[in-house]
Amino acid sequence: MKLQVSLKNTFVETTSLLFVLLFTYAAITKLLDFENFQVQLGQSPLLSSYAIWISYMVIAIELLISLMLMIPKFRTAGLYASLSLMSMFSSYIFIMLHFSSFVPCSCGGILEKMSWNVHLIFNLFFVGLALASLLMLPSSKTTNGNQTNRKKRWFYISSNIIFSIIIVIVLFLSSEKIMHYKNPFIRRFPKHPIVQDTIIDLKYNSYYFAGSDREKIYLGNYSNPLHITAIGKKTKERESIKIIFDSKKILFSSVKIRIRDSSFYLMDGTVPAVFTGSKSDWKANRQLTGMPYFTLAEPINPTKIILRSSNGRNAEHSIGIFDETRSSKIKYNSRLLQKQIDGIFDTDGTLLFDEKANRTVYTYYYRNQYIVIDSNGNLEYSANTIDTTTKAKIKVAHLKNNTQRKLSAPALTVNAYTAVCENLLFVNSKVSGRFESDKLWEQSFIIDVYDLNTKSYLMSFSIYKIDNKKMSSFFVTSDYLYAIMGTNLGIYRLRDLLKNEINSVKSKEK
């Protein structure tokens, strides 16, 4: 009997020592690389919103439990605390593996060498050690003098485990809600949502994205407005296309080409003029009559254009719909763009139309906002990007008796280039978030992804610079992301993490 008690005591003491070594090692490792530890917590799909205070609390708890386990008087409480903490760690890994949209990098130290599945087994092993040690403890008296029987001990143990799991679940659910809808500007960088496919040398830096179809992506050329380069999505073969059009009678100065389904559009808002034709012969043989001046435009169909014009009060920006089939061809909606300072620079942004979703997205350059517009020019909703710049940080100078306006100081660009693919909005952000390194921003461009259907932030990823060149634009299809950097076209294949976000809408529609 005494031997049995002695073996139990030895097991409990050995387990306590193992926990002391584990927690002390883990705490010291985190302290030695504390900044990296906070970054890893910031990227966690479960703890992102609470990374700051949890980073301090976890280290403090691990050291406190180690101290409790070394003092016989507090060893029982220390074992219960160990069981609770290891149950939380195990629940955390289980949720990430089975319910999270992505799995972040592992912890530091030796544990970083483990895969998450091995790490889960490792944690469960220590859960088992804590559980066995608690059951081997000799019966002790409670404050009312009654013996704590085995049933009560099992109740305490099971309550401990259940309560620990509930805490982790609550943290996960609340953090997910904050990250998607009330983000404190912490980006999520899942592992490799895109992978570089190839790089094509375009020879010139005057290209822009004109559109795509099922087989090809089309590039326009600012220097040669009637020239289009088509690149096969799968073959990557290039084809040179010349638009047939007699432009001698029209004084074009800012021509842009857009490809929509089987049609193409030749547009210049300074004339103003919009010509259209079929991709079957590439002849610009029809002009939309009655077109007003515009600064941005996107074709909706062969007779309908959504455009931005400076026709508002004091030449402020306004978005409207031009419809050639109506008697009153242009209809502006002055409530779409919200003035903050001057109505011109503060409302400047990018205009995109997605033909599959049949809607337009306008993203402001200098504030954390985008708006979604239906095909009739009505506001569906407005939403925010994850940064905290709610008001445009610009200074406007009024020249020549208020007849001209210019930016008197460099403006803080929040959202630069954008792309839209069905339910997803891709934004090239210029503002660094929390837990992001300067090196990452020096070497790459950051793309934030939003779900237009749920009005929520999904994830972020980086596109590394090619030959250290600036990115002038990017374009996204259901399979690829294309980015123009200097004279290079970078082609990146979307991996399942991103493709599934696009395909999830298709599956719901079927």
Side-chain angles (χ1 to χ4, degrees), residues 268-281:
D268 190 336
T270 63
V271 176
V274 174
F275 291 85
T276 183
S278 172
K279 284 162 48 184
S280 60
D281 56 14

Side-chain angles (χ1 to χ4, degrees), residues 139-386:
S139 298
S140 60
K141 292 186 177 181
T142 59
T143 54
N144 60 8
N146 295 323
Q147 291 287 331
T148 303
N149 57 35
R150 182 171 288 271
K151 287 185 179 181
K152 283 188 176 181
R153 184 166 294 178
W154 269 112
F155 173 77
Y156 295 149
I157 291 172
S158 58
S159 298
N160 179 297
I161 295 174
I162 292 171
F163 182 69
S164 301
I165 294 173
I166 289 174
I167 289 176
V168 175
I169 292 173
V170 170
L171 278 174
F172 173 68
L173 295 176
S174 60
S175 181
E176 285 291 287
K177 184 176 180 180
I178 291 172
M179 286 300 297
H180 286 299
Y181 301 103
K182 301 177 182 179
N183 198 332
F185 201 17
I186 302 172
R187 285 191 172 92
R188 286 185 167 179
F189 291 94
K191 287 185 177 180
H192 313 303
I194 65 170
V195 60
Q196 190 175 85
D197 188 291
T198 188
I199 298 173
I200 295 176
D201 186 2
L202 299 173
K203 305 297 183 184
Y204 303 100
N205 62 357
S206 53
Y207 287 96
Y208 63 90
F209 294 104
S212 68
D213 55 27
R214 290 183 178 180
E215 298 178 352
K216 301 173 184 177
I217 184 168
Y218 298 91
L219 303 179
N221 192 320
Y222 291 114
S223 301
N224 191 350
L226 299 181
H227 175 265
I228 295 176
T229 297
I231 300 175
K233 289 182 178 179
K234 293 183 178 179
T235 63
K236 309 299 185 296
E237 292 181 356
R238 280 187 274 188
E239 175 188 0
S240 183
I241 300 170
K242 180 70 179 292
I243 293 176
I244 302 172
F245 178 65
D246 182 11
S247 59
K248 295 180 181 179
K249 298 179 181 180
I250 301 175
L251 299 176
F252 286 122
S253 63
S254 182
V255 176
K256 268 205 168 182
I257 305 295
R258 284 289 182 265
I259 310 294
R260 291 280 187 272
D261 195 24
S262 60
S263 303
F264 72 91
Y265 301 81
L266 188 152
M267 307 182 296
D268 190 336
T270 63
V271 176
V274 174
F275 291 85
T276 183
S278 172
K279 284 162 48 184
S280 60
D281 56 14
W282 294 102
K283 292 181 180 180
N285 50 22
R286 193 176 81 82
Q287 181 178 6
L288 276 66
T289 58
M291 180 66 60
Y293 289 94
F294 57 86
T295 52
L296 295 174
E298 289 292 331
I300 295 176
N301 59 46
T303 61
K304 202 171 184 180
I305 308 288
I306 185 166
L307 53 85
R308 189 191 72 183
S309 180
S310 299
N311 76 322
R313 183 183 298 178
N314 299 320
E316 295 171 4
H317 284 146
S318 183
I319 292 178
I321 295 287
F322 171 86
D323 191 340
E324 193 182 36
T325 61
R326 294 189 312 207
S327 56
S328 179
K329 295 186 178 181
I330 181 69
K331 180 181 179 182
Y332 289 101
N333 188 340
S334 60
R335 293 175 294 180
L336 289 176
L337 298 181
Q338 297 298 310
K339 175 182 175 180
Q340 290 185 332
I341 300 171
D342 69 329
I344 298 178
F345 294 109
D346 64 337
T347 59
D348 202 4
T350 56
L351 183 72
L352 298 171
F353 179 76
D354 187 84
E355 54 188 310
K356 291 184 179 179
N358 197 32
R359 61 186 170 195
T360 302
V361 182
Y362 189 90
T363 308
Y364 292 100
Y365 282 138
Y366 306 119
R367 65 177 103 159
N368 66 343
Q369 190 177 19
Y370 63 90
I371 60 175
V372 178
I373 309 164
D374 66 21
S375 58
N376 295 315
N378 300 313
L379 178 68
E380 286 190 10
Y381 68 86
S382 63
N384 295 107
T385 53
I386 60 173

Side-chain angles (χ1 to χ4, degrees), residues 53-99:
W53 61 269
I54 283 183
S55 63
Y56 293 101
M57 194 173 73
V58 167
I59 294 173
I61 289 175
E62 288 177 336
L63 292 175
L64 179 61
I65 293 175
S66 297
L67 183 62
M68 292 170 66
L69 290 170
M70 288 188 290
I71 303 173
K73 182 179 179 181
F74 299 107
R75 185 165 292 159
T76 300
L79 285 170
Y80 274 108
S82 300
L83 176 65
S84 178
L85 191 60
M86 296 309 295
S87 297
M88 288 182 183
F89 289 162
S90 301
S91 303
Y92 167 73
I93 295 175
F94 183 82
I95 289 174
M96 281 199 306
L97 290 174
H98 295 88
F99 300 100

